[in-house]
Amino acid sequence: MNLFQLKAGPRGSKRVAEFLNNNLVSIGHPGLGDLENASRAEIEEKMIRLYGYQGVELQEHVEAAVTFAHTMQDGDYVLVTDGDWVHLGDLGDYFYVEPAEATDGNNAHRRGVTWLTHIPRVALQPGVQKLLAEKGAVTQFQEPIAAARLDLWITDPAAISEPLENRVRVDEATIAAALDILKQALGSEDAERRERAAVAILQYAK
C-alpha cells in the first residue's frame, strides 16, 4: 500500500466538493485519450503536441499523468487538501470516461475513491506535511506508509457498533473541560501531541 497527494487545481474547494460528492479524484489534460495502456513516451509526445510543454514543466506534467494512471493502484491511499483540512481516501482503479472529454475535459481521467475521514492539516506528521507541500499535481509519499500515522484517523468499526448501554457516561461539564484542554493542545509545538488532540476531538465529534 502506498500514499499519494493530489491537488484539486485552480478551482480549489469547488473541485474538492466534486471529488467528495462523486467519490472520485481526477486530473486534467483533455485530449490525451485513455492512459491505461499509454507509455510514458506516448504521454510525453502528446503533451508536447497538445500543450507545448517543455523542460521541467513537461516532466512535471508527464510524471503526474503517469503516476495517476499507472503508479497508483487499487487500495492505495490519497490525500486531497482543502484549506486547513485534508481528506483521506482509499483509491480504486484508473478509468477513462470518453464523453467527459467534450463536456468536462478536466474530469475524463478518473479513479474511484472511498473517502475515509478528514484530518486537520496542522495535525499531520511532518513527512506528510512535506508531501502536501510538493509542487507536483500528483506525488507519492517516499517513506513507508506506516510513518504517516494515518491509522490513528481511521475509526475502528467495532467501536462504532458498541452498544450504547456499554459506554461510560460522562457529565457535560467534564466533557467541556476536556475539550478545552484538547483545544489548547492543538496549539502545542509537539506534533504528536497536536495529532492526538485532533484525533480525540474528531472522534468526539462523530
Side-chain angles (χ1 to χ4, degrees), residues 150-161:
L150 296 176
D151 55 302
L152 295 173
W153 300 93
I154 302 173
T155 303
D156 181 1
I160 296 176
S161 60

Side-chain angles (χ1 to χ4, degrees), residues 113-156:
V113 179
T114 299
W115 296 108
L116 302 173
T117 190
H118 55 278
I119 307 167
R121 181 167 180 168
V122 69
L124 288 166
Q125 291 288 331
V128 181
Q129 300 272 9
K130 184 178 179 181
L131 172 71
L132 296 176
E134 290 180 1
K135 183 180 179 181
V138 185
T139 54
Q140 183 175 351
F141 187 55
Q142 296 303 315
E143 301 178 47
I145 194 169
R149 301 292 300 277
L150 296 176
D151 55 302
L152 295 173
W153 300 93
I154 302 173
T155 303
D156 181 1

Side-chain angles (χ1 to χ4, degrees), residues 2-6 67 71-73 76-80 91 131-132 138-141:
N2 293 301
L3 173 65
F4 299 84
Q5 69 83 21
L6 183 145
T67 299
T71 308
M72 287 177 164
Q73 298 295 319
D76 284 339
Y77 281 175
V78 66
L79 293 170
V80 178
L91 286 163
L131 172 71
L132 296 176
V138 185
T139 54
Q140 183 175 351
F141 187 55

Side-chain angles (χ1 to χ4, degrees), residues 48-71:
I48 294 172
R49 176 165 48 84
L50 292 170
Y51 301 109
Y53 295 144
Q54 296 180 359
V56 174
E57 183 183 31
L58 171 63
Q59 295 309 312
E60 287 177 348
H61 285 292
V62 170
E63 186 62 32
V66 170
T67 299
F68 188 84
H70 301 304
T71 308

Side-chain angles (χ1 to χ4, degrees), residues 3-203:
L3 173 65
F4 299 84
Q5 69 83 21
L6 183 145
K7 291 182 170 54
R11 291 178 59 199
S13 293
K14 290 184 178 179
R15 186 72 164 156
V16 174
E18 292 175 2
F19 289 168
L20 298 177
N21 291 334
N22 297 315
N23 294 304
L24 59 81
V25 288
S26 61
I27 57 172
H29 300 305
L32 295 182
D34 193 341
L35 301 178
E36 185 172 6
N37 297 311
S39 68
R40 176 182 289 269
E42 290 171 332
I43 294 172
E44 182 173 315
E45 184 277 328
K46 287 183 178 181
M47 286 193 172
I48 294 172
R49 176 165 48 84
L50 292 170
Y51 301 109
Y53 295 144
Q54 296 180 359
V56 174
E57 183 183 31
L58 171 63
Q59 295 309 312
E60 287 177 348
H61 285 292
V62 170
E63 186 62 32
V66 170
T67 299
F68 188 84
H70 301 304
T71 308
M72 287 177 164
Q73 298 295 319
D74 182 20
D76 284 339
Y77 281 175
V78 66
L79 293 170
V80 178
T81 302
D82 183 16
D84 294 332
W85 291 87
V86 179
H87 304 283
L88 170 64
D90 185 329
L91 286 163
D93 290 324
Y94 167 83
F95 63 103
Y96 172 69
V97 182
E98 186 172 4
E101 288 279 20
T103 59
D104 182 4
N106 289 322
N107 203 28
H109 307 285
R110 306 180 184 182
R111 280 184 177 273
V113 179
T114 299
W115 296 108
L116 302 173
T117 190
H118 55 278
I119 307 167
R121 181 167 180 168
V122 69
L124 288 166
Q125 291 288 331
V128 181
Q129 300 272 9
K130 184 178 179 181
L131 172 71
L132 296 176
E134 290 180 1
K135 183 180 179 181
V138 185
T139 54
Q140 183 175 351
F141 187 55
Q142 296 303 315
E143 301 178 47
I145 194 169
R149 301 292 300 277
L150 296 176
D151 55 302
L152 295 173
W153 300 93
I154 302 173
T155 303
D156 181 1
I160 296 176
S161 60
E162 182 182 358
L164 289 174
E165 60 269 20
N166 292 342
R167 302 180 187 179
V168 177
R169 296 184 180 276
V170 181
D171 62 88
E172 293 185 5
T174 300
I175 292 174
L179 286 173
D180 285 340
I181 293 172
L182 290 173
K183 289 176 184 177
Q184 292 176 24
L186 285 175
S188 172
E189 294 182 359
D190 186 325
E192 185 170 352
R193 187 181 180 196
R194 290 199 307 270
E195 181 182 81
R196 292 185 181 281
V199 170
I201 289 173
L202 289 178
Q203 287 179 340

